[in-house]
Amino acid sequence: MPVNKIVDSFDEAVADIEDGATIMIGGFGIVAGAPSLLLEALARKGSKDLTMVSNVTGFGKMVWKQLGFKFAEDPDILVRNGQIKKAIATAPVSTIYENNFERLLRAGKVELETVSQGTLAERIRAAKAGLGGVYVSVGVGTVVEEGKETKIIDGKKYILELPLKADFALIKAHKGDRWGNLVYRRTSRTFNAVMAGAATVTIAEVEEIVELGELDADAIHTPGIYVDRVVVRPLVIEEEEVEINAEAKESYEKFKERKGN
Amino acid sequence: MPVNKIVDSFDEAVADIEDGATIMIGGFGIVAGAPSLLLEALARKGSKDLTMVSNVTGFGKMVWKQLGFKFAEDPDILVRNGQIKKAIATAPVSTIYENNFERLLRAGKVELETVSQGTLAERIRAAKAGLGGVYVSVGVGTVVEEGKETKIIDGKKYILELPLKADFALIKAHKGDRWGNLVYRRTSRTFNAVMAGAATVTIAEVEEIVELGELDADAIHTPGIYVDRVVVRPLVIEEEEVEINAEAKESYEKFKERKGN
Amino acid sequence: MQEKERLDRQTIALRVAKEFQDGNVVNLGIGLPGLACNFVPAGREVLFHAEIGVLGFGEMTAPGEGDWELVNAGGQTVHEQPGMSCFDHAEAFVMIRGGHVDVSVMGAFQVSEKGDLANYMVPERQIGVIGGAMDLASGAKKLIIAMNHTTKDGQPRVLKQCTYPITALNCVKLLITDIAVIEVTEKGMVLKEVAPEWTPEEVQRLTEPTLIVDPDCHEIELM
Amino acid sequence: MQEKERLDRQTIALRVAKEFQDGNVVNLGIGLPGLACNFVPAGREVLFHAEIGVLGFGEMTAPGEGDWELVNAGGQTVHEQPGMSCFDHAEAFVMIRGGHVDVSVMGAFQVSEKGDLANYMVPERQIGVIGGAMDLASGAKKLIIAMNHTTKDGQPRVLKQCTYPITALNCVKLLITDIAVIEVTEKGMVLKEVAPEWTPEEVQRLTEPTLIVDPDCHEIELM
């Protein structure tokens, strides 16, 4: 039988994500790299008490609009839906406004583990790579060191960082095939490619499904070995009105003027 | 000034590899992935007492011919030239005949550290990634464990493996540009891409130099940040007569017959 | 007494390939195991992995033909096929060490009753070739050993304890030799299949640990 | 007394960019530092790195234009340019942690005399945004901080000791503020440049540690 990892719908793709699961969510916090339709499906399913591993806990529509992007969901949809028990993230709150996660955190309704970004990537990779742990010097002398084993290696102090594994990884790619081979576009690769294979089940949301062989062997970013399910987006995500942030506009105009001189 | 990492000759590319240097040599042991002309240049220069990090210590012409390959140099050229003090390798000897390294080792003229292949790759990556070390369970209960720190993590025993860094990495790629961006072809990527950036100076031998922008941003395997020098091969490497191994021929014929049935 | 005929390398490889299930990711070691990529049962789709950095390649090419930058772990050129992907060495071993490879097939000098594997060094040689063997033996979900049942001078290589240096402990799940198919279980080694005309007693005579003969033990089936 | 005019964000970014040397790999933090990609001195070739996974991108696009899958660490779209490469997050931090990035430019809440950096949490908020700041502060060969010299109510942010939680110790090499350029050295903080019309004494008055005034201290040069 030909291998076929393609599933027919987003709801089917997330059907076995039960209450209490640990899930990884790809992307950086920038909407283009987020598995938006998988997140919407998981919101519809309504699984509770999830532990969520992601770079950000979600900014929600406001920030995307200010950045001038077409709108799509980010991890915030699970937060505002009350599905998250704990977040492991590098940027759990916003520096400019109070996001939904911060509100719940201040109300004592969610837990938080803050991780440095490079260490988050390395811990996820360690799980995927079957390593027992890695020594990282980032965070020495800071809050990140608290409660962790340290070791002097070659005269320098390192913190022992342990692998981070999940039950499910929800990721977003540009194209995929029936073996689960994936390619990403530009800065949307980010945590998506890192998380692929670091969970028991990796589910990829793609913009396009291509025939086996269409992706060049040398240019595949995520070999199919790491991917369990592939589900394709409808052609166009609903676009919403976009307002450009006034400050960004002004700053750009000033820059253009200066360059003109 | 435009950045330009392209150097004019192989001799110039290796001119500062002095006696006693630690060098990494890319490839797997299969000739296509070896930086053959850099190795020839280093043999001409004659630097001595080198510590060599590579998958194999070299098979020499005999084996390549038997495999039916066009001939090019592999790490053996430095071994038979008497330039190696110590080898760190996963397959230091041949299982089918006595290679030059084995002869020197038995004569007490070289030292050897044998490493498991996945661990070699991970130790090189650790150096490139600024990690203090990684815990690996491969080799527990074997000779590889001897003299190393171990640790039980989550009920499983791991060995602490330390980063492996070099002064120079000699690697081979398919195409490169003046920023040092590289792409590899098929199974020639191997240790070449891993070693790029794990040495103070990374020198890449390429088959073709392309204009900046010709390599697609999404398909570059080694971003230029890891590469210090790029040197291009003359168009054709001298081909030698090839004899096909008789056993390989026979085995293949038998397989074809069976498939025919 | 003339010994009965044993399976040749091609036939052992054929029997090995029968183990591959639809969608399995299979790493084939150097030598005999490498031949198994030629014998995937009809209708099954199997993805072959080589630690040199390739997944999903096809059959071997004729010697001296093929793309010399597309080779298996033994340096033999293989055919490209749709869906194939290439990667570097660190990634190849993320796949292996991380438990993403379903089946690994390797050769061996010795295998113990508990599934310990010795395949990287003949003690007399004093120098070993570890290569990727330790990683594959500890990392793959299922390790199949394909080897001759005895040494050239007829001594058993299936032993109570390995006398050669160990590659990895408790790792072998299935043993396919030129005279038998043996499963390594918690209760001991179970004889599942014997070569044509061989009896379980004859296999036992060439095997050090006591074999549990499976009630369903039968002649090796190749198709 | 009316305070003298301070540099605006664009001008600080312009001064920051003067530090970039030919061939430097430069990571620009979110906010003000991000603007520096627009001001590379004419004739110099600088490779910008963003931890989201891109190296060698060009200037920012107009807001709302550009490829929304090609953004800097602040989510602002940037222009593609020849030689650009994209990669994943683990690789981006191999570059950072591994010491492959020449210059990192970040904002800060506080910087200490010894070059300690506090930029991930305002204590009153209790929740920090570490992001990639710790990695960049410990990993980049040279860390430049671009920030306002004082808080909104005029309190110094260049301090003997940071009172805010630390991002990384002994990491800041150069401080470019809206009134001064200060080098962090083993002997102490050296005042190298002052904003137009500002005197070293005026800068000192807004700075907690004692500044060593460089004999060559002069007005900030932008070109």
Side-chain angles (χ1 to χ4, degrees):
Chain A
M1 287 268 297
V3 177
N4 186 11
K5 298 182 177 178
I6 299 163
V7 296
D8 289 337
S9 77
F10 285 87
D11 291 310
E12 185 188 336
V14 302
D16 54 352
I17 305 184
E18 302 296 345
D19 293 357
T22 295
I23 57 168
M24 287 176 177
I25 300 172
F28 179 69
I30 305 303
V31 72
S36 298
L37 302 197
L38 284 171
L39 290 167
E40 283 183 11
L42 186 53
R44 281 193 297 276
K45 177 164 164 66
S47 315
K48 295 262 185 301
D49 294 327
L50 302 171
T51 294
M52 174 171 89
V53 180
S54 52
N55 190 48
V56 302
T57 58
F59 293 135
K61 298 195 179 196
M62 190 180 105
V63 171
W64 302 131
K65 284 192 179 180
Q66 285 198 353
L67 282 166
F69 286 134
K70 289 181 281 187
F71 175 72
E73 290 293 351
D74 73 10
D76 180 66
I77 190 173
L78 301 179
V79 174
R80 65 178 189 264
N81 216 15
Q83 294 176 270
I84 302 302
K85 182 185 69 178
K86 180 181 176 181
I88 300 175
T90 82
V93 299
S94 163
T95 50
I96 46 177
Y97 76 111
E98 190 183 65
N99 70 358
N100 289 316
F101 184 80
E102 182 168 354
R103 264 193 288 277
L104 292 173
L105 189 64
R106 296 204 185 279
K109 291 188 175 156
V110 288
E111 296 163 55
L112 169 65
E113 178 183 340
T114 309
V115 185
S116 185
Q117 210 167 98
T119 299
L120 182 65
E122 206 62 23
R123 289 180 63 191
I124 294 168
R125 180 185 181 276
K128 177 173 174 168
L131 300 174
V134 295
Y135 282 109
V136 173
S137 65
V138 174
V140 165
T142 77
V143 64
V144 159
E145 187 182 330
E146 285 169 20
K148 289 181 186 155
E149 275 192 50
T150 62
K151 186 176 182 69
I152 308 286
I153 301 173
D154 208 11
K156 191 171 170 182
K157 188 173 175 182
Y158 292 88
I159 301 169
L160 176 60
E161 295 284 358
L162 299 176
L164 194 51
K165 197 181 157 91
D167 301 309
F168 296 88
L170 311 184
I171 63 170
K172 153 78 173 51
H174 181 45
K175 295 180 182 179
D177 65 29
R178 66 176 175 84
W179 278 9
N181 291 313
L182 303 177
V183 295
Y184 310 89
R185 262 200 78 244
R186 303 300 189 243
T187 49
S188 292
R189 200 181 318 177
T190 178
F191 274 104
N192 290 305
V194 183
M195 290 171 173
T200 308
V201 178
T202 296
I203 311 170
E205 168 176 342
V206 301
E207 285 162 33
E208 190 185 342
I209 287 177
V210 298
E211 287 299 313
L212 211 61
E214 273 190 50
L215 305 177
D216 176 27
D218 287 331
I220 287 171
H221 299 126
T222 296
I225 194 172
Y226 296 128
V227 177
D228 300 283
R229 297 172 198 163
V230 177
V231 55
V232 67
R233 279 188 175 180
L235 269 183
V236 180
I237 290 194
E238 187 190 335
E239 292 191 28
E240 301 196 8
E241 274 291 301
V242 156
E243 299 162 40
I244 305 296
N245 175 274
E247 199 198 337
K249 237 187 213 159
E250 194 193 316
S251 182
Y252 185 77
E253 293 307 327
K254 258 181 129 169
F255 150 63
K256 277 295 170 199
E257 260 170 51
R258 198 187 294 273
K259 292 294 260 197
N261 293 345
Chain B
M1 289 269 295
V3 177
N4 186 11
K5 298 182 179 178
I6 299 165
V7 294
D8 289 336
S9 77
F10 283 87
D11 291 309
E12 186 189 334
V14 302
D16 55 350
I17 305 185
E18 303 295 344
D19 292 358
T22 295
I23 58 168
M24 289 176 175
I25 301 173
F28 178 70
I30 305 305
V31 72
S36 297
L37 301 198
L38 284 171
L39 290 168
E40 284 184 9
L42 186 54
R44 280 194 297 276
K45 178 166 164 63
S47 315
K48 295 263 183 303
D49 294 326
L50 302 172
T51 295
M52 177 173 86
V53 180
S54 53
N55 190 49
V56 302
T57 58
F59 293 135
K61 298 194 176 195
M62 191 181 105
V63 172
W64 303 132
K65 284 191 178 181
Q66 286 200 350
L67 282 166
F69 286 136
K70 288 179 284 185
F71 176 72
E73 290 295 349
D74 73 8
D76 180 65
I77 189 172
L78 301 179
V79 174
R80 65 177 187 265
N81 215 17
Q83 295 177 270
I84 301 302
K85 182 184 68 180
K86 181 182 176 180
I88 301 174
T90 83
V93 299
S94 162
T95 50
I96 47 177
Y97 76 111
E98 190 184 62
N99 69 0
N100 289 315
F101 184 81
E102 183 167 354
R103 263 192 288 277
L104 292 173
L105 189 65
R106 297 207 185 275
K109 292 188 175 156
V110 290
E111 297 163 54
L112 168 65
E113 178 184 340
T114 308
V115 185
S116 184
Q117 208 167 103
T119 299
L120 181 64
E122 206 62 24
R123 288 180 63 193
I124 294 169
R125 180 186 181 273
K128 178 174 174 168
L131 300 174
V134 296
Y135 282 109
V136 172
S137 65
V138 174
V140 165
T142 77
V143 65
V144 160
E145 188 182 330
E146 285 169 21
K148 290 182 186 155
E149 276 192 50
T150 61
K151 188 178 180 68
I152 307 287
I153 301 172
D154 209 11
K156 191 171 171 183
K157 188 173 176 184
Y158 291 89
I159 301 169
L160 176 60
E161 295 283 359
L162 299 176
L164 194 50
K165 196 180 158 87
D167 300 309
F168 296 89
L170 311 184
I171 63 169
K172 154 75 174 52
H174 182 45
K175 295 180 183 181
D177 63 29
R178 65 177 175 84
W179 280 8
N181 292 311
L182 303 177
V183 296
Y184 310 89
R185 262 199 79 242
R186 302 304 187 239
T187 48
S188 292
R189 200 182 316 178
T190 176
F191 274 104
N192 290 304
V194 183
M195 290 172 173
T200 308
V201 178
T202 296
I203 311 170
E205 168 176 342
V206 301
E207 285 162 33
E208 189 185 341
I209 287 177
V210 298
E211 288 298 313
L212 212 61
E214 272 189 51
L215 304 177
D216 177 26
D218 287 331
I220 287 171
H221 298 126
T222 296
I225 193 171
Y226 296 127
V227 178
D228 301 283
R229 298 172 198 162
V230 178
V231 55
V232 67
R233 279 189 177 181
L235 269 181
V236 180
I237 289 194
E238 188 190 333
E239 291 191 28
E240 301 195 11
E241 273 292 302
V242 155
E243 297 160 42
I244 303 298
N245 178 274
E247 199 197 338
K249 238 186 211 160
E250 192 195 318
S251 183
Y252 186 77
E253 293 307 326
K254 258 181 127 168
F255 149 63
K256 277 295 169 199
E257 261 170 48
R258 199 189 292 275
K259 290 295 260 198
N261 296 346
Chain C
M1 185 184 90
Q2 183 85 31
E3 205 195 45
K4 291 177 180 169
E5 201 190 348
R6 297 185 178 209
L7 306 185
D8 65 8
R9 287 159 51 88
Q10 299 281 339
T11 311
I12 297 176
L14 184 60
R15 175 60 189 82
V16 165
K18 237 188 98 189
E19 293 295 313
F20 308 154
Q21 303 304 312
D22 255 333
N24 271 182
V25 171
V26 177
N27 183 292
L28 299 176
I30 295 177
L32 192 161
L35 301 174
C37 77
N38 290 333
F39 301 115
V40 177
R44 273 187 216 166
E45 199 169 54
V46 173
L47 279 68
F48 290 108
H49 177 273
E51 60 270 35
I52 192 171
V54 57
L55 177 69
F57 57 88
E59 294 179 352
M60 286 190 283
T61 73
E65 294 175 17
D67 178 354
W68 70 329
E69 290 198 306
L70 182 53
V71 296
N72 66 15
Q76 295 155 310
T77 48
V78 293
H79 286 286
E80 176 153 351
Q81 66 173 14
M84 189 180 83
S85 55
C86 295
F87 31 87
D88 71 33
H89 230 83
E91 191 71 50
F93 281 89
V94 165
M95 295 177 184
I96 292 168
R97 195 192 312 98
H100 305 279
V101 171
D102 297 304
V103 180
S104 165
V105 187
M106 275 191 264
F109 299 130
Q110 301 180 333
V111 170
S112 85
E113 191 167 11
K114 292 205 160 152
D116 298 346
L117 169 67
N119 75 347
Y120 84 92
M121 184 163 89
V122 183
E124 303 82 61
R125 271 200 93 189
Q126 295 168 309
I127 312 167
V129 178
I130 294 179
M134 287 188 180
D135 300 273
L136 282 157
S138 3
K141 286 181 208 152
K142 178 175 181 174
L143 175 60
I144 300 176
I145 294 298
M147 66 177 198
N148 291 333
H149 208 88
T150 54
T151 62
K152 275 178 192 159
D153 52 355
Q155 295 306 304
R157 301 168 72 185
V158 184
L159 303 169
K160 287 184 181 164
Q161 293 284 341
C162 294
T163 60
Y164 284 17
I166 291 294
T167 304
L169 300 167
N170 304 310
C171 54
V172 181
K173 297 281 184 301
L174 192 71
L175 195 56
I176 298 178
T177 76
D178 49 1
I179 60 170
V181 176
I182 295 172
E183 210 179 300
V184 182
T185 73
E186 300 223 331
K187 287 179 290 184
M189 288 187 140
V190 180
L191 181 64
K192 308 284 282 187
E193 301 173 26
V194 292
E197 298 180 33
W198 284 71
T199 66
E201 295 70 28
E202 288 163 332
V203 171
Q204 177 67 73
R205 223 168 293 143
L206 298 174
T207 310
E208 198 182 82
T210 305
L211 297 172
I212 302 164
V213 181
D214 193 281
D216 189 31
C217 182
H218 56 274
E219 184 175 298
I220 286 180
E221 284 170 5
L222 296 176
M223 293 298 158
Chain D
M1 185 185 86
Q2 183 81 33
E3 205 195 46
K4 291 176 180 168
E5 200 188 347
R6 298 185 177 209
L7 306 185
D8 65 8
R9 287 160 49 89
Q10 298 282 338
T11 311
I12 298 175
L14 184 59
R15 176 60 190 82
V16 164
K18 238 189 96 190
E19 294 295 314
F20 306 156
Q21 303 304 311
D22 256 334
N24 272 180
V25 171
V26 178
N27 183 292
L28 299 175
I30 296 177
L32 191 161
L35 301 175
C37 76
N38 290 336
F39 300 116
V40 177
R44 274 187 215 166
E45 200 170 54
V46 173
L47 279 69
F48 290 107
H49 176 274
E51 60 269 36
I52 190 170
V54 57
L55 176 69
F57 57 87
E59 294 179 351
M60 286 189 286
T61 74
E65 295 175 17
D67 178 354
W68 70 328
E69 288 197 307
L70 182 52
V71 296
N72 65 17
Q76 294 155 311
T77 47
V78 293
H79 285 286
E80 177 154 349
Q81 67 174 14
M84 189 180 84
S85 56
C86 295
F87 32 87
D88 70 32
H89 229 82
E91 191 69 50
F93 281 89
V94 166
M95 295 177 185
I96 292 168
R97 196 192 311 99
H100 305 278
V101 172
D102 297 303
V103 180
S104 163
V105 187
M106 277 193 263
F109 299 132
Q110 300 180 333
V111 171
S112 87
E113 193 168 8
K114 292 204 162 156
D116 298 347
L117 170 67
N119 76 349
Y120 84 92
M121 184 163 89
V122 184
E124 304 82 60
R125 271 199 95 185
Q126 296 169 310
I127 311 167
V129 178
I130 294 179
M134 286 187 180
D135 300 272
L136 282 158
S138 4
K141 286 182 207 152
K142 178 174 181 174
L143 175 59
I144 300 176
I145 295 298
M147 67 176 198
N148 291 333
H149 208 88
T150 55
T151 62
K152 275 181 192 156
D153 51 358
Q155 294 306 304
R157 299 168 73 184
V158 184
L159 302 170
K160 287 183 180 165
Q161 294 284 343
C162 295
T163 60
Y164 284 17
I166 291 294
T167 305
L169 300 168
N170 305 311
C171 54
V172 181
K173 295 283 183 298
L174 192 72
L175 197 57
I176 298 177
T177 76
D178 49 0
I179 59 169
V181 176
I182 295 171
E183 210 179 300
V184 182
T185 74
E186 299 223 330
K187 289 179 291 184
M189 288 185 140
V190 179
L191 182 64
K192 308 284 282 187
E193 302 174 24
V194 292
E197 297 178 34
W198 284 72
T199 65
E201 295 69 31
E202 287 164 336
V203 170
Q204 176 66 74
R205 222 168 292 143
L206 298 175
T207 309
E208 201 182 77
T210 304
L211 297 172
I212 301 163
V213 181
D214 192 280
D216 189 33
C217 181
H218 56 274
E219 185 175 297
I220 287 181
E221 285 170 6
L222 296 175
M223 293 299 157

